[in-house]
Amino acid sequence: MADAVRTPHRQPVEIAGLSHHFVVGGAEVPALDRIDLTIEPGEFVTLAGPSGCGKTTLLRLLAGFMRPSEGTVSVAGEPVRGPSEERGVVFQQATLFPWLSVRRNVELGLRLRKVDKAEREERTRQHLELVGLTDFADHRPYELSGGMQQRCQIARVLANDPDIVLMDEPFGALDALTRERLQEELLEIWRATGKTVLFITHSVDEAVFLGSRVLVMSPRPGRIVLDESAVLTENGERAAPDHLRALPRFVELREAVREAIVAGQQPA
Amino acid sequence: MADAVRTPHRQPVEIAGLSHHFVVGGAEVPALDRIDLTIEPGEFVTLAGPSGCGKTTLLRLLAGFMRPSEGTVSVAGEPVRGPSEERGVVFQQATLFPWLSVRRNVELGLRLRKVDKAEREERTRQHLELVGLTDFADHRPYELSGGMQQRCQIARVLANDPDIVLMDEPFGALDALTRERLQEELLEIWRATGKTVLFITHSVDEAVFLGSRVLVMSPRPGRIVLDESAVLTENGERAAPDHLRALPRFVELREAVREAIVAGQQPA
Amino acid sequence: VESGRESTTAADSDCPFEPDESIETTARIAWQPIPNGDLVVKDLGLLEACMPNAKIEWVQAASGGDVVEYYGGGDVDLGLMGSSPATIASSEPKVRDVDLAVVWIHDVIGDAESLVVKDENVTEISQLKGGKIAVPFSSTAHYSLLQALIEEGIDPNKDVKIINLAPEKMPGAWQGDQIDAAWVWDPTQSQLLDDGGTRILSSEDTAEAGRPTFDLGTVDRTFAAENEEFMTMWAKLQDHAVKMIADDPDAAAESVAVVLGIEPDAARAQFEGLTYLTAEEQAGQDYLGGKLAEDMLTTAKFLLDQGGITKVGTPEEYAEHVDAGPARRASE
Amino acid sequence: MTDTSVDTGAGTTAGGRAPQPTGGNGAAALERRAKRAQRLRRLGLHTASLVGLILVWWLVTRLELVRPLYLPSPGAVWDAFVTANTDHPVSEGSDRIVRGEQNYYLWEHLVASLQRIAIGVAAGVVVGVPLGLLMGTTWLGVLLEPYLNFVRSLPPLAYVGLLIAWFGIGDTSKIWLLFLAAFPPIAVATISGVKGVREDQVNAVLTLGASRRQTLTTVVLPSTLPEVLTGLRVGVGFAWTTVVAAEIDNGIPGIGGLAYLAGGQLRTDLVIACIIVIGFAAIALDLGLKYLERALVPWRGKA
Amino acid sequence: MTDTSVDTGAGTTAGGRAPQPTGGNGAAALERRAKRAQRLRRLGLHTASLVGLILVWWLVTRLELVRPLYLPSPGAVWDAFVTANTDHPVSEGSDRIVRGEQNYYLWEHLVASLQRIAIGVAAGVVVGVPLGLLMGTTWLGVLLEPYLNFVRSLPPLAYVGLLIAWFGIGDTSKIWLLFLAAFPPIAVATISGVKGVREDQVNAVLTLGASRRQTLTTVVLPSTLPEVLTGLRVGVGFAWTTVVAAEIDNGIPGIGGLAYLAGGQLRTDLVIACIIVIGFAAIALDLGLKYLERALVPWRGKA
Ligand SMILES: Nc1ncnc2c1ncn2[C@@H]1O[C@H](COP(=O)(O)OP(=O)(O)OP(=O)(O)O)[C@@H](O)[C@H]1O
Ligand SMILES: Nc1ncnc2c1ncn2[C@@H]1O[C@H](COP(=O)(O)OP(=O)(O)OP(=O)(O)O)[C@@H](O)[C@H]1O
Ligand SMILES: [Mg+2]
Ligand SMILES: [Mg+2]
């Protein structure tokens, strides 16, 4: 428990026959409909889809915040029974703790796991720097701007070094420049550590740019309508970001994703 | 008071020598530095800038939620003393009322102003439809997805028909398609009613596409570093959306905005 | 649920005298749960039976102090209280707030209140030096205890520790060895005696030493002046009850038992510790007719010393607050 | 957070265990069934613990660990309870029949006290909530807060005399006392709730054109509701604790007055019967308030 | 929401009026100065209202609208207060000098009661907060809730006899009574606070690897803190209201015991002096708790 960087497990995330509905005023509101999905360890899965189609619901089921109405979710062969430190979550609405300073929020996971002080401070410093909040380390979350809160949350999850990172529109509140920088940092971390990532985004471009695999969901009830590998290679290597967007496959995939989203939204 | 559609005032929003700082733990944190700005009635002003540069702070000062440390904000010649129904606000983090259903949230302003029932219901229906929440009218806000909450908030503000609309990244949590649709609806409403709009966004494209005037702020302390008219005309008419993005002036302006944001972020 | 429901089964009892239908007074009477004629009158509904056109309201009070407060608020016209509160109410400055007169002696306290000690080797009050004695403060028992101590030359502030304790809490403290003695009345007194206590002194003894304590019937002086006939009838019925306690103790005990919510036998046993005086006795020199005012003066002097009052009135002032009239008229 | 499985975070499906897949079976019905099962389980739990407690009590008295004078046996208390609710002879064999205790059945004593409490607490809500809102939102708070704190810390036994002097020995003074007990926690909770209202929710409603009064009713009040209800529950509890003090003087009928009289006569069995009746009545009342809470504030912990 | 200007929504600059532009002058210093001015204004307000109140009181007694038995004049109460704090002759002209009242000065009575309250309330926090957390987060809540409601509605006067039988007539039984008064509101408030903890904050800390216990201490407890503190304030208030009941028996020294004895002797001036001392002590204590609240929960209304 006390070592901060752990070797990630080599087992997939398996979702089988997953359906979920909410009960609102006695009536059932379907959110997910019979989803089967296996995420291999080390994959960077991006998930797009129209607003309200069930992306967050899927992520919360994976995280173990809720139990599915039907079907199963398991990680490394074990059914998910609740939240766990191996599955870090960046929430769509930042859930920072107002009673802790920004620094304390970021180092919380390390503290909880009793990582020793020197390492804790080093990792916290690193991650505050990563998201550009070094100067705001002693502020309280409610003294930050919306984008800064979101960045703080990202730092908190990454500092805790989970095997699986579940991110719900993490870069939605960021300006283009910060967003690009963080996208690259995230890719960097992913490449270095081999983490499994599920990344929800509204930006088709971002989905295709970041993902090693791109999923699109259709709304009401949520089904996966597109599932494409997106490992874009250039001369057998993963393409450099600058070149990536110019690849014909990139443009092609982006078009496919956009169309899937539009198609999914049509009947609604 | 009781007529829902009012003729907008014909007076500008004037900001003179506006500075603001926050006091955090006894120390002053500057957020805005001597901003002078006049927004003419009927302008659609978009505001971009790096995360944490003070966009929301400026908006909150305009809304009257806070008093500036220095300088003045006035609307139609009157200094702003507090929030008012003539300045509608779409918050960065949705502030819906969980004790009211979606419908009730949307019609709240009309209820408060005692607009008569038939008109109230009609306007509510219209705006629920506008943001695509007709089917969720009887849900509670916490039963909505993040993007749906944001849409509900937009409907709430627009249904109330304020003269001045202050929007803080209203479309940040929306998928591309919904976003495009709402962008056009917003432009439509703007053109039809001649409202004054201040629109904060992270998307450079969105800023240039929507704005009749584009502002860029630099961070810490926030100053306005770019202020360009963006009324893009084609044969003397406002350009149609499809053509707009192809105009050389559009591409040029987008580049200028991007550079201004990058330049502003450099020293930080 | 409305208040004011009186005994249902005994209310139809007959008036022992000729009912007086001319009396149409409204009288509000404060009573306390003390086993004497007042409870018999209340239980049997004698006032109601003998004055069918009068309106009688019974108001329960927890202590004499409460009764004085009721008077002050104009809430009652008659009331039962111990001799200490009656004296306080007849002294400056309280007399300005409540102008009442003592018109009846419901009972003279004898063995009903006594000093019960835990250690059976203790036979003299002086042996309690350094011990703890429990007593309900501001009560007749408190007064008797202090009198008895001072009589023996024991300083109540230094030589013993006197503890304010409500009677119902004494058995617990007694059982836990937290008190050495208690001056208290029934049913706690009997309980302590059952628990191995010994009675070494009682109010009977203090009375013999010239410091008697009473439960007194009082009346608002204005009310008494305006309702002479009512007062006479009231006194006659009290007299009737006193005689009933003497002549038919079982019936009287039953009434007392109903009001107190205890067994008639227990009620009957409690009669033993109190002396009940007929109207004739009361009207005489020894009581309302003379000596009671002196007793009140003695009490007042004592209370002054204890900080209970700030000023002792003149003998005439106390005499003014004793009215033997109703008792005298009743005995005729 | 939901009621039972709060800290597992699995808040949506009640009960904490994942329901098995059930094919086409309506899941809302499933949920209803799960809820019923849970309710039954709860009832069982409560019954079991109650029975256990009575058993311990019975044993303690049976083994004479405590004197009956302080803690009578369950049987004796039950007898006192029954006697107090029936017409019964004053003593065995006597033909004088008395009605309950002090001429009222025990339940009548209870009803009398309940009436007083209901009026006192109702007045406490009517005064406490608006006062709390006012004090939480205006300068009146600064002015009145010390007085509120003054009033809410006064021991009833110290000032009940004053109330009797001002309002007589009838029900009015008793209701005043119960009111003075119930209203401060309600007011304090309201004030505290007002302080917790999110600034931006107030801002939001102001930009929608709400007047000062409308802000209070449409935002401050609903968002304060959870704390007001907690305050109400505490206030009702407090009114119960005050019922004996209120009924010491001329408190018949009244369960507090009866308990006081019985105590003075060392009738511990009746005192304990009164205590238990008070306790159960309070539990029932509180249960009602909790249902009210659940119905009125479904969004707690969610937004 | 801030303290004074809550419903204008202009929460950032205290006082509600916009400060004038001030050139280069440090704005933090400016803010400090504004705060001091505000504090002074407040003090003035309170003094004025207090003086006004005493004046009304004086007039009421002067015009003899109320009998001195119930409401003595301010002068008489002041005399009683002074007498109770000094060595004085037992009566005018007597040469026997007594110390204060019942051989203790009034302030000694106050200190004795304060000690009991401090211990009782401290125990209430130590028991009430963990119990509340437990009851709010586990099935223990379902089991214990009725018992909690039972206990918190019992009138002290009805069961103080039992406490005395079990814990003697010394301080132990009094502290128990004060504890039983203070702990239920604290526990109830804690439970209610736990129910208001945002689900996703719990989820968040669980995904960071918190154990059950760590979730309690790092999220549930801090987020419940505002309500716990409200509960604490209500609990302390209750303890004060119970101090007379606790000190009826063998309660000297003790301000409640003194008030009770003085009441029995119909010395209303001393009773009112005691009441006022209790009230002021309670206000002072509550002020301290409010400062604590402000220091511990700066985020209220913001997140
Ligand atoms: N707690 C809830 N109670 C009831 N219905 C809910 C709840 N949470 C979500 N839903 C419903 O489930 C559906 C899917 O919601 P979800 O949050 O998963 O959407 P999403 O894909 O994340 O959308 P967005 O991109 O807008 O965040 C929506 O129709 C929503 O109304
Ligand atoms: N309540 C507050 N207390 C203290 N500092 C604050 C507060 N609100 C904002 N700030 C600070 O003011 C600066 C500007 O914040 P603001 O919210 O205006 O940024 P923004 O431009 O809206 O950023 P974003 O795009 O991330 O929302 C930031 O440095 C922030 O830390
Ligand atoms: Mg979502
Ligand atoms: Mg912002």
Side-chain angles (χ1 to χ4, degrees):
Chain A
M1 270 298 203
D3 46 356
V5 180
R6 291 153 296 167
T7 40
H9 64 89
R10 299 273 97 207
Q11 301 284 337
V13 178
E14 283 164 320
I15 296 168
L18 187 73
S19 292
H20 195 78
H21 68 267
F22 293 97
V23 178
V24 175
E28 286 179 37
V29 178
L32 296 177
D33 190 30
R34 278 164 288 150
I35 291 185
D36 293 291
L37 180 69
T38 303
I39 301 177
E40 296 299 335
E43 270 190 321
F44 195 126
V45 178
T46 53
L47 174 59
S51 169
C53 71
K55 303 181 296 293
T56 300
T57 306
L58 180 63
L59 182 140
R60 294 176 70 87
L61 289 168
L62 278 180
F65 298 160
M66 314 187 290
R67 305 303 167 97
S69 305
E70 282 178 45
T72 55
V73 177
S74 53
V75 171
E78 285 286 308
V80 166
R81 296 199 178 283
S84 138
E85 66 191 281
E86 67 178 7
R87 276 163 285 132
V89 175
V90 176
F91 291 80
Q92 188 166 8
Q93 257 123 29
T95 54
L96 298 167
F97 301 115
W99 46 88
L100 300 178
S101 67
V102 167
R103 174 181 289 113
R104 286 281 179 151
N105 264 288
V106 172
E107 70 178 10
L108 183 59
L110 301 170
R111 260 181 198 281
L112 291 173
R113 294 191 292 112
K114 304 206 171 48
V115 172
D116 66 77
K117 194 165 172 236
E119 187 180 345
R120 195 176 68 214
E121 286 180 353
E122 176 53 20
R123 287 184 67 81
T124 305
R125 201 194 50 69
Q126 264 173 26
H127 285 89
L128 281 173
E129 175 136 7
L130 179 73
V131 298
L133 285 179
T134 312
D135 291 355
F136 291 87
D138 297 318
H139 284 222
R140 293 287 177 103
Y142 51 87
E143 293 164 345
L144 299 184
S145 78
M148 290 156 93
Q149 289 182 18
Q150 196 59 12
R151 285 184 272 154
C152 177
Q153 210 200 168
I154 294 168
R156 184 173 72 179
V157 170
L158 293 180
N160 200 38
D161 192 33
D163 289 346
I164 301 174
V165 186
L166 307 172
M167 304 178 98
D168 198 350
E169 298 181 37
F171 302 154
L174 302 182
D175 61 291
L177 204 83
T178 314
R179 184 170 191 152
E180 275 166 31
R181 200 169 59 70
L182 283 176
Q183 283 175 349
E184 285 174 29
E185 294 285 359
L186 183 61
L187 278 179
E188 199 52 57
I189 292 172
W190 172 64
R191 282 199 209 100
T193 57
K195 287 183 195 308
T196 310
V197 179
L198 176 71
F199 188 103
I200 297 178
T201 177
H202 282 129
S203 162
V204 174
D205 189 85
E206 191 173 62
V208 178
F209 176 71
L210 285 178
S212 69
R213 180 177 172 192
V214 181
L215 304 179
V216 174
M217 267 175 87
S218 71
R220 282 198 263 158
R223 287 214 187 92
I224 290 177
V225 291
L226 181 142
D227 182 350
E228 296 264 347
S229 166
V231 186
L232 301 178
T233 52
E234 202 185 31
N235 313 328
E237 287 256 299
R238 168 138 182 132
D242 299 346
H243 294 168
L244 202 66
R245 285 196 172 82
L247 292 178
R249 171 77 179 124
F250 183 92
V251 180
E252 196 181 298
L253 191 54
R254 197 167 59 182
E255 238 5 77
V257 168
R258 183 183 298 272
E259 259 159 40
I261 297 179
V262 174
Q265 222 157 349
Q266 231 66 302
Chain B
M1 266 296 199
D3 46 354
V5 180
R6 292 152 297 168
T7 38
H9 64 89
R10 299 272 96 209
Q11 300 284 336
V13 177
E14 283 165 319
I15 297 168
L18 187 74
S19 292
H20 196 77
H21 69 269
F22 294 97
V23 178
V24 175
E28 287 178 35
V29 178
L32 296 178
D33 191 28
R34 277 164 289 148
I35 290 185
D36 293 291
L37 180 68
T38 303
I39 302 177
E40 296 299 334
E43 271 191 317
F44 195 127
V45 178
T46 54
L47 174 60
S51 168
C53 70
K55 303 183 292 298
T56 300
T57 306
L58 180 62
L59 182 138
R60 293 175 71 87
L61 289 170
L62 279 181
F65 299 161
M66 314 187 289
R67 305 303 167 97
S69 306
E70 282 176 45
T72 54
V73 177
S74 52
V75 171
E78 285 287 308
V80 166
R81 299 198 178 282
S84 138
E85 68 191 280
E86 68 179 6
R87 275 162 285 132
V89 176
V90 176
F91 291 79
Q92 188 166 9
Q93 258 123 31
T95 52
L96 298 168
F97 302 114
W99 46 88
L100 299 179
S101 68
V102 167
R103 175 181 287 114
R104 286 280 180 154
N105 264 287
V106 171
E107 71 179 6
L108 183 59
L110 301 171
R111 259 182 199 279
L112 291 173
R113 295 192 291 112
K114 306 205 169 47
V115 172
D116 67 77
K117 194 163 172 238
E119 187 179 343
R120 194 176 69 214
E121 285 179 354
E122 175 53 20
R123 287 183 68 82
T124 306
R125 201 195 49 69
Q126 265 174 23
H127 285 88
L128 281 173
E129 175 136 9
L130 178 75
V131 298
L133 286 178
T134 310
D135 291 355
F136 292 86
D138 296 318
H139 285 223
R140 292 287 177 105
Y142 51 88
E143 293 164 346
L144 300 183
S145 77
M148 289 155 92
Q149 288 181 17
Q150 197 60 15
R151 285 184 271 154
C152 178
Q153 211 201 167
I154 294 168
R156 185 173 71 180
V157 170
L158 292 181
N160 200 38
D161 192 33
D163 289 344
I164 302 174
V165 186
L166 308 172
M167 304 179 99
D168 200 350
E169 297 182 37
F171 302 154
L174 302 181
D175 62 291
L177 205 81
T178 313
R179 185 170 189 148
E180 273 166 33
R181 201 169 58 74
L182 282 177
Q183 281 175 352
E184 283 174 33
E185 295 284 359
L186 183 61
L187 277 178
E188 200 53 57
I189 292 172
W190 173 64
R191 279 196 214 102
T193 59
K195 286 184 196 306
T196 310
V197 180
L198 176 71
F199 188 102
I200 297 178
T201 178
H202 282 128
S203 163
V204 174
D205 191 85
E206 190 171 62
V208 177
F209 175 71
L210 285 180
S212 68
R213 180 176 171 190
V214 181
L215 304 179
V216 174
M217 267 174 88
S218 71
R220 283 198 264 155
R223 286 214 188 92
I224 290 179
V225 291
L226 182 140
D227 183 349
E228 295 264 345
S229 166
V231 186
L232 301 178
T233 51
E234 203 184 30
N235 312 331
E237 287 257 304
R238 166 135 186 139
D242 301 346
H243 295 167
L244 202 66
R245 284 194 173 82
L247 291 180
R249 171 77 180 125
F250 183 93
V251 179
E252 197 180 298
L253 192 54
R254 195 167 62 184
E255 237 7 78
V257 169
R258 184 182 298 274
E259 258 160 42
I261 297 178
V262 173
Q265 222 157 351
Q266 232 64 303
Chain C
V1 179
E2 292 281 315
S3 63
R5 182 191 298 163
E6 294 307 332
S7 175
T8 39
T9 42
D12 50 6
S13 58
D14 296 330
C15 179
F17 315 110
E18 185 67 24
D20 186 343
E21 293 183 7
S22 68
I23 304 175
E24 294 179 351
T25 313
T26 297
R28 297 158 302 169
I29 308 172
W31 65 279
Q32 287 190 61
I34 297 171
N36 56 37
D38 206 26
L39 298 192
V40 178
V41 171
K42 175 180 184 302
D43 180 60
L44 296 181
L46 296 179
L47 292 171
E48 293 85 345
C50 294
M51 296 177 279
N53 293 321
K55 196 160 172 289
I56 312 290
E57 282 173 30
W58 291 91
V59 178
Q60 175 252 333
S63 71
D66 291 343
V67 179
V68 175
E69 285 187 349
Y70 292 180
Y71 272 118
D75 285 324
V76 296
D77 306 307
L78 292 93
L80 181 151
M81 64 180 80
S83 35
S84 301
T87 306
I88 294 177
S90 307
S91 306
E92 295 286 344
K94 293 294 174 292
V95 70
R96 266 183 283 138
D97 299 322
V98 287
D99 185 20
L100 51 79
V102 176
V103 289
W104 192 258
I105 297 172
H106 286 294
D107 55 65
V108 185
I109 301 169
D111 279 347
E113 293 180 6
S114 64
L115 180 63
V116 183
V117 298
K118 197 155 190 221
D119 184 349
E120 55 189 33
N121 299 319
V122 172
T123 52
E124 291 286 324
I125 191 166
S126 55
Q127 290 170 275
L128 283 173
K129 269 192 190 178
K132 280 188 195 165
I133 307 172
V135 72
F137 276 23
S138 308
S139 66
T140 44
H142 189 204
Y143 173 76
S144 300
L145 170 66
L146 294 177
Q147 291 291 5
L149 288 170
I150 290 167
E151 195 93 335
E152 285 292 313
I154 303 169
D155 186 335
N157 288 316
K158 295 205 188 86
D159 299 335
V160 291
K161 191 160 180 341
I162 300 181
I163 290 173
N164 179 31
L165 208 56
E168 65 267 25
K169 286 141 197 166
M170 287 177 181
W174 177 278
Q175 194 72 18
D177 275 330
Q178 307 203 354
I179 52 174
D180 301 301
W183 196 306
V184 71
W185 51 83
D186 268 334
T188 302
Q189 180 188 233
S190 314
Q191 182 68 43
L192 297 186
L193 290 172
D194 284 351
D195 285 350
T198 332
R199 172 187 283 154
I200 60 169
L201 269 181
S202 76
S203 296
E204 182 106 59
D205 301 304
T206 33
E208 275 167 21
R211 306 273 193 266
T213 49
F214 311 95
D215 289 314
L216 300 175
T218 60
V219 64
D220 183 283
R221 291 215 298 175
T222 322
F223 177 88
E226 287 169 1
N227 298 284
E228 259 193 30
E229 293 183 349
F230 173 88
M231 289 311 298
T232 309
M233 182 58 87
W234 178 83
K236 272 171 84 173
L237 292 170
Q238 288 291 346
D239 185 50
H240 173 74
V242 166
K243 286 174 179 148
M244 200 171 141
I245 293 173
D247 302 338
D248 187 2
D250 284 337
E254 193 173 76
S255 283
V256 170
V258 167
V259 178
L260 294 184
I262 59 176
E263 290 287 312
D265 289 348
R268 206 177 151 174
Q270 290 187 20
F271 289 158
E272 304 299 319
L274 297 166
T275 307
Y276 306 95
L277 305 171
T278 62
E280 204 172 339
E281 291 168 305
Q282 303 221 10
Q285 261 306 305
D286 282 350
Y287 297 102
L288 295 175
K291 187 157 170 302
L292 186 74
E294 291 167 34
D295 288 332
M296 283 171 71
L297 182 64
T298 326
T299 309
K301 282 181 183 153
F302 179 79
L303 287 173
L304 178 75
D305 236 23
Q306 296 299 318
I309 56 175
T310 49
K311 200 164 157 222
V312 176
T314 59
E316 293 74 38
E317 277 168 0
Y318 290 104
E320 204 181 311
H321 291 283
V322 178
D323 177 7
R328 194 175 306 119
R329 293 198 298 273
S331 62
E332 279 158 11
Chain D
M1 301 176 91
T2 56
D3 227 58
T4 48
S5 60
V6 266
D7 56 344
T8 71
T12 307
T13 316
R17 236 167 304 136
Q20 297 307 305
T22 47
N25 200 334
L30 202 80
E31 213 141 304
R32 264 197 301 283
R33 205 179 320 150
K35 264 202 187 143
R36 199 161 20 174
Q38 198 196 350
R39 210 152 23 208
L40 269 179
R41 217 166 39 236
R42 256 187 213 202
L43 196 72
L45 198 65
H46 285 157
T47 318
S49 77
L50 194 66
V51 168
L53 209 75
I54 292 179
L55 216 76
V56 170
W57 173 13
W58 179 80
L59 260 178
V60 163
T61 51
R62 189 64 208 252
L63 300 175
E64 302 194 352
L65 299 179
V66 188
R67 297 185 59 188
L69 181 58
Y70 316 134
L71 191 64
S73 71
V77 171
W78 176 250
D79 287 346
F81 176 77
V82 170
T83 308
N85 274 304
T86 45
D87 289 328
H88 56 92
V90 61
S91 68
E92 247 169 273
S94 162
D95 55 359
R96 171 80 194 273
I97 302 295
V98 285
R99 178 189 185 117
E101 293 287 345
Q102 303 292 330
N103 293 319
Y104 292 90
Y105 299 124
L106 190 58
W107 66 261
E108 292 177 315
H109 287 289
L110 178 64
V111 169
S113 295
L114 271 173
Q115 284 170 345
R116 293 180 186 128
I117 287 180
I119 302 176
V121 171
V125 171
V126 168
V127 175
V129 173
L131 188 73
L133 288 178
L134 231 75
M135 286 182 63
T137 53
T138 65
W139 59 271
L140 267 179
V142 178
L143 183 65
L144 294 183
E145 176 138 43
Y147 297 101
L148 178 62
N149 287 329
F150 193 96
V151 167
R152 77 190 178 84
S153 59
L154 294 185
L157 289 175
Y159 68 85
V160 67
L162 289 178
L163 290 181
I164 290 180
W166 292 332
F167 304 110
I169 45 176
D171 270 5
T172 317
S173 59
K174 296 175 183 57
I175 289 170
W176 261 96
L177 194 67
L178 295 169
F179 161 73
L180 287 172
F183 122 87
I186 297 174
V188 169
T190 309
I191 295 174
S192 154
V194 169
K195 278 194 211 134
V197 175
R198 278 175 55 206
E199 278 173 25
D200 271 353
Q201 288 193 330
V202 174
N203 285 335
V205 82
L206 286 172
T207 60
L208 291 174
S211 66
R212 212 181 161 81
R213 201 182 50 71
Q214 286 176 323
T215 306
L216 276 189
T217 52
T218 57
V219 172
V220 179
L221 188 59
S223 133
T224 305
L225 205 56
E227 295 211 32
V228 170
L229 288 171
T230 307
L232 176 60
R233 288 177 57 198
V234 171
V236 170
F238 201 40
W240 277 112
T241 68
T242 315
V243 77
V244 171
E247 293 176 348
I248 282 185
D249 289 300
N250 198 31
I252 300 295
I255 190 122
L258 181 64
Y260 184 78
L261 278 184
Q265 299 297 335
L266 293 180
R267 295 176 59 194
T268 326
D269 46 359
L270 184 56
V271 172
I272 293 201
C274 287
I275 286 186
I276 292 179
V277 168
I278 288 178
F280 272 98
I283 291 177
L285 248 181
D286 198 72
L287 220 62
L289 287 176
K290 269 186 63 187
Y291 275 108
L292 194 72
E293 191 172 339
R294 216 167 300 162
L296 287 181
V297 198
W299 66 85
R300 269 219 105 174
K302 302 205 164 144
Chain E
M1 301 177 92
T2 57
D3 226 60
T4 48
S5 58
V6 267
D7 55 344
T8 72
T12 308
T13 314
R17 239 167 300 136
Q20 297 308 307
T22 48
N25 203 335
L30 202 80
E31 214 142 303
R32 266 196 302 281
R33 208 179 319 149
K35 263 199 186 144
R36 198 158 20 162
Q38 198 197 348
R39 208 150 28 208
L40 270 178
R41 216 164 40 233
R42 257 187 213 202
L43 197 72
L45 199 64
H46 285 157
T47 319
S49 76
L50 194 66
V51 168
L53 210 74
I54 292 180
L55 216 76
V56 170
W57 174 11
W58 179 81
L59 260 178
V60 164
T61 53
R62 190 61 207 256
L63 300 175
E64 302 192 351
L65 299 178
V66 188
R67 297 188 205 209
L69 173 58
Y70 307 120
L71 193 64
S73 70
V77 172
W78 176 251
D79 286 346
F81 176 76
V82 170
T83 310
N85 273 303
T86 46
D87 291 327
H88 58 91
V90 61
S91 62
E92 244 169 277
S94 162
D95 55 359
R96 200 169 128 219
I97 303 294
V98 290
R99 179 193 181 112
E101 291 288 344
Q102 306 289 334
N103 291 320
Y104 292 90
Y105 298 125
L106 189 59
W107 65 264
E108 292 176 314
H109 287 288
L110 178 64
V111 169
S113 296
L114 272 173
Q115 283 170 348
R116 293 179 186 130
I117 287 180
I119 302 176
V121 170
V125 172
V126 168
V127 175
V129 174
L131 188 74
L133 288 179
L134 233 75
M135 286 180 62
T137 54
T138 66
W139 58 271
L140 267 179
V142 179
L143 184 65
L144 294 183
E145 178 137 41
Y147 298 100
L148 178 63
N149 286 330
F150 194 95
V151 167
R152 78 189 177 83
S153 58
L154 294 185
L157 289 176
Y159 67 86
V160 68
L162 287 178
L163 290 181
I164 288 181
W166 291 332
F167 304 111
I169 49 173
D171 269 5
T172 317
S173 59
K174 295 175 184 58
I175 290 169
W176 261 97
L177 194 66
L178 294 169
F179 160 75
L180 287 172
F183 123 87
I186 297 175
V188 169
T190 309
I191 295 173
S192 153
V194 168
K195 277 191 213 138
V197 175
R198 279 176 53 205
E199 279 173 24
D200 271 352
Q201 289 194 330
V202 174
N203 285 336
V205 83
L206 287 171
T207 60
L208 291 174
S211 66
R212 212 182 159 80
R213 200 181 52 71
Q214 284 176 324
T215 306
L216 276 189
T217 54
T218 57
V219 173
V220 179
L221 188 57
S223 132
T224 306
L225 204 54
E227 294 212 32
V228 171
L229 288 172
T230 305
L232 177 59
R233 288 177 58 198
V234 172
V236 171
F238 276 18
W240 276 113
T241 66
T242 316
V243 78
V244 170
E247 293 177 347
I248 281 184
D249 296 293
N250 193 27
I252 300 295
I255 190 120
L258 181 64
Y260 186 77
L261 287 187
Q265 294 174 340
L266 295 173
R267 293 175 57 193
T268 324
D269 46 358
L270 184 55
V271 173
I272 293 200
C274 288
I275 286 185
I276 292 179
V277 168
I278 289 178
F280 273 98
I283 291 177
L285 249 180
D286 197 73
L287 220 60
L289 287 175
K290 270 187 63 186
Y291 274 108
L292 194 72
E293 191 173 339
R294 217 167 299 163
L296 287 180
V297 198
W299 67 84
R300 269 218 105 174
K302 304 205 163 144

